[in-house]
Amino acid sequence: MFVGRERELGTLQDLWEQEDFQMLVLYGRRRVGKTALLDEFSKDKHVLSFTARQQTSAANLRDFSRAIYRFFGLPETMPAFGLWQDALDFIVRKAQDEPGRRMLFVFDEFPYAAASEQSLPSSLQIAIDHGFKNANVMMVLCGSNEGFMESEVLGYKSPLYGRRTAQLRLMPFDVFDTARMLPFTPPVDVVQYYATFGGTPYYLRQIRSGMTYEDNVLRLLFDTNGLLYEEPLMLLRQELRDITTYNSVMGAVGAGATKQNKIADGAGLASSSGVSKYLSVLSDLGLLERDVPFGENPTHTRKGLWRIKDPFFSFWYRFVGPNADRIERGDGDLAARADVFGPALDTYVGQQFESVCEQWMIRANRRNELPFRATSFGKWWGSDPRARQQADIDAIAAAPRTGDILLGECKWKSNLDIAQTTATLRARADLVPGYDNRYFALFVKTDELAEAARARGESDLTVLSAAEMLRETRPAVS
């Protein structure tokens, strides 16, 4: 089942409709859906597709030769090309023989081939400069090793630098496209699944419709045979040579450390300065991010807090990794029922629910459904001088130029004192200065709480339940 990726397909189609050579660099971490996207796009195209493997250069070139022969209707038993340059030049000549027919050339998992043949990027550069650029070809170089793609394909030291005409880093789904992959699941459970597995399509496809949330989590994560049990470590090994310290840094953040010195302590590093490199690399990989309070300058503020960006990795390092010993000895179900299912899970999902609410605001803003057109989003935390305590505002959308701001509270609870919650939110409005036109939003778990909040008749308060946020993206579920 293919869902979502409308914008990415639009980008691909725009490149396809050009009448000259186009080269797209498509990358993103493993399992995120790159190959599925290309398969969907390629359905009605004249496409030469090859996927490299982790094998010798000679073996990859042999397989590439067979793919070329098959595509051009030649016997696959013909001898393999002796050089990558020969194979690429052959494609160029054939493409130039049919200038009126556009060809799509997909080279998937390019890093695997380039790792075993260091001259391949240079050979491809020569083929582009002396052939492909004058052919009716759209080329896609695709890879899961993000570090390699950014340095060896996109980097200015790469022979391929300057040859691309577009690049696309494929990201996991947001909660709304996640919901489209789980049409059998009630909205409240969709939020819980998203908080656990994130928006990576491959992970979501492992969820069985006939099983409960708890059973799916136990099967996939709390069993040594579970398909996703070792997934975070496998991804780190793909990107990094020695994952030991990186894994410790992720573990420290997953356990609740948010400041650099605390992360260093939790990871067993001697100083906070020593952790900077690891935080930077993990941030570049899209696994960590540094949040700053809304309105603060990220470069200058010292109020930034580190967090795990992807919900799946956040869940794994919060619940799975710390229980690895128990899981390895076969007590994963006991560990999950003791440490995960219950209040700890509700607290964790509540934290992820704030991200869900921000995603809703971003989508609503695109549809012009907010009270104004917002240009900035985020959350705020800091000191409330009047209350003499720390405070936070869960979700914010704002238009600094017009002085409009929407302040949101996100509550993942089945019971809630609505009057007190909205009063507290309104009392904190002055904590974000510079905005004269204020609006408020309350995001809640259940339809019943949403109805109760709307019954209070606060005209400047937008109220939405989880189901109401997700309803437009998926069929109704009884």
Side-chain angles (χ1 to χ4, degrees):
M1 177 179 63
F2 186 88
V3 302
R5 305 300 190 199
E6 289 85 2
R7 297 175 71 182
E8 292 85 353
L9 285 170
T11 297
L12 289 164
Q13 187 62 33
D14 181 66
L15 294 172
W16 176 255
E17 292 174 358
Q18 305 302 310
E19 296 181 355
D20 55 0
F21 173 71
Q22 298 290 321
M23 174 178 155
L24 170 70
V25 178
L26 173 64
Y27 66 111
R29 71 168 187 248
R30 67 198 301 263
R31 317 291 202 189
V32 80
K34 300 180 298 299
T35 301
L37 172 65
L38 292 174
D39 287 346
E40 181 71 14
F41 172 67
S42 302
K43 281 182 176 178
D44 59 347
K45 309 292 191 299
H46 183 53
V47 55
L48 166 58
S49 181
F50 170 68
T51 301
R53 292 189 291 170
Q54 290 178 299
Q55 56 186 3
T56 65
S57 177
N60 269 321
L61 182 55
R62 178 200 62 213
D63 294 344
F64 186 43
S65 300
R66 290 173 179 170
I68 293 171
Y69 297 148
R70 184 166 55 251
F71 176 73
F72 289 110
L74 299 171
E76 295 181 37
T77 55
M78 291 174 60
F81 292 99
L83 299 171
W84 283 93
Q85 192 71 63
D86 295 339
L88 295 168
D89 290 343
F90 182 85
I91 298 172
V92 168
R93 290 195 300 272
K94 285 290 190 179
Q96 291 176 339
D97 287 343
E98 295 184 89
R101 188 176 192 187
R102 191 150 176 77
M103 176 195 297
L104 176 62
F105 172 28
V106 175
F107 200 135
D108 201 355
E109 294 299 357
F110 180 75
Y112 290 159
S116 60
E117 180 55 68
Q118 295 184 357
S119 67
L120 179 55
S122 294
S123 297
L124 186 55
Q125 173 245 312
I126 293 170
I128 292 171
D129 291 349
H130 298 283
F132 278 119
K133 71 177 184 180
N134 297 316
N136 191 9
V137 173
M138 174 179 167
M139 179 187 299
V140 180
L141 295 186
C142 182
S144 299
N145 188 320
E146 295 184 290
F148 181 95
M149 296 297 286
E150 291 180 343
S151 63
E152 303 302 320
V153 178
L154 297 173
Y156 73 93
K157 293 184 179 180
S158 167
L160 294 170
Y161 180 74
R163 272 72 184 179
R164 77 183 187 279
T165 57
Q167 67 187 62
L168 199 166
R169 184 180 189 181
L170 200 63
M171 303 300 290
F173 286 152
D174 64 10
V175 69
F176 301 98
D177 283 333
T178 294
R180 294 168 66 182
M181 289 202 68
L182 303 173
F184 50 81
T185 307
V188 168
D189 287 351
V190 167
V191 174
Q192 197 159 256
Y193 273 122
Y194 177 76
T196 304
F197 295 98
T200 299
Y202 178 81
Y203 304 164
L204 298 172
R205 283 198 295 270
Q206 311 313 314
I207 297 170
R208 294 180 182 172
S209 60
M211 301 180 71
T212 65
Y213 165 83
E214 288 81 2
D215 288 341
N216 275 304
V217 170
L218 289 172
R219 176 176 60 88
L220 294 170
L221 290 168
F222 284 85
D223 188 315
T224 54
N225 296 320
L227 195 60
L228 304 181
Y229 171 57
E230 293 189 341
E231 180 69 12
L233 302 182
M234 292 173 65
L235 185 139
L236 289 178
R237 292 189 188 104
Q238 174 182 295
E239 294 283 351
L240 306 164
R241 291 182 180 178
D242 182 2
I243 71 168
T244 305
T245 304
Y246 292 99
N247 185 47
S248 296
V249 169
M250 290 289 289
V253 180
T258 57
K259 292 185 176 293
Q260 192 162 311
N261 61 334
K262 296 295 184 182
I263 296 171
D265 289 343
L269 297 174
S271 66
S272 61
S273 60
V275 79
S276 297
K277 178 189 75 172
Y278 301 100
L279 293 173
S280 178
V281 170
L282 290 168
S283 178
D284 289 343
L285 292 176
L287 298 178
L288 291 182
E289 69 176 356
R290 179 174 175 264
D291 283 342
V292 302
F294 182 86
E296 296 278 346
N297 186 322
T299 304
H300 300 117
T301 184
R302 295 185 177 182
K303 298 179 181 178
L305 302 178
W306 287 94
R307 73 179 185 95
I308 297 179
K309 185 176 181 179
D310 186 280
F312 172 73
F313 286 81
S314 181
F315 183 91
W316 195 94
Y317 279 100
R318 170 66 179 83
F319 296 112
V320 182
N323 281 300
D325 288 346
R326 301 173 72 182
I327 297 170
E328 292 289 340
R329 66 170 180 257
D331 290 336
D333 57 338
L334 298 178
R337 298 188 191 284
D339 297 346
V340 183
F341 306 137
L345 181 63
D346 285 340
T347 300
Y348 168 78
V349 175
Q351 295 167 349
Q352 298 295 328
F353 186 52
E354 295 176 9
S355 175
V356 168
C357 298
E358 180 176 324
Q359 291 174 26
W360 178 86
M361 291 196 302
I362 291 171
R363 285 212 176 198
N365 189 58
R366 291 179 191 152
R367 299 188 299 265
N368 200 27
E369 293 178 0
L370 297 184
F372 54 89
R373 182 70 72 166
T375 56
S376 302
F377 300 86
K379 59 194 302 184
W380 182 91
W381 63 89
S383 177
D384 183 344
R386 287 182 298 185
R388 296 183 180 180
Q389 62 183 15
Q390 293 297 301
D392 59 70
I393 301 173
D394 296 335
I396 297 175
R401 293 185 62 183
T402 61
D404 293 296
I405 191 167
L406 175 65
L407 307 165
E409 186 74 11
C410 312
K411 293 295 186 183
W412 191 253
K413 298 179 177 180
S414 298
N415 297 294
L416 182 66
D417 187 330
I418 296 170
Q420 181 180 354
T421 300
T422 56
T424 300
L425 176 62
R426 291 179 183 279
R428 292 175 178 173
D430 291 336
L431 298 176
V432 185
Y435 295 91
D436 298 325
N437 307 315
R438 295 167 180 161
Y439 305 87
F440 301 92
L442 178 62
F443 302 98
V444 294
K445 180 177 182 179
T446 68
D447 288 339
E448 292 76 15
L449 283 174
E451 291 171 4
R454 279 192 287 268
R456 294 176 53 80
E458 300 179 60
S459 60
D460 61 346
L461 179 69
T462 298
V463 180
L464 286 165
S465 67
E468 289 165 341
M469 283 191 283
L470 293 172
R471 194 163 286 148
E472 66 186 72
T473 62
R474 59 203 306 279
V477 177
S478 59

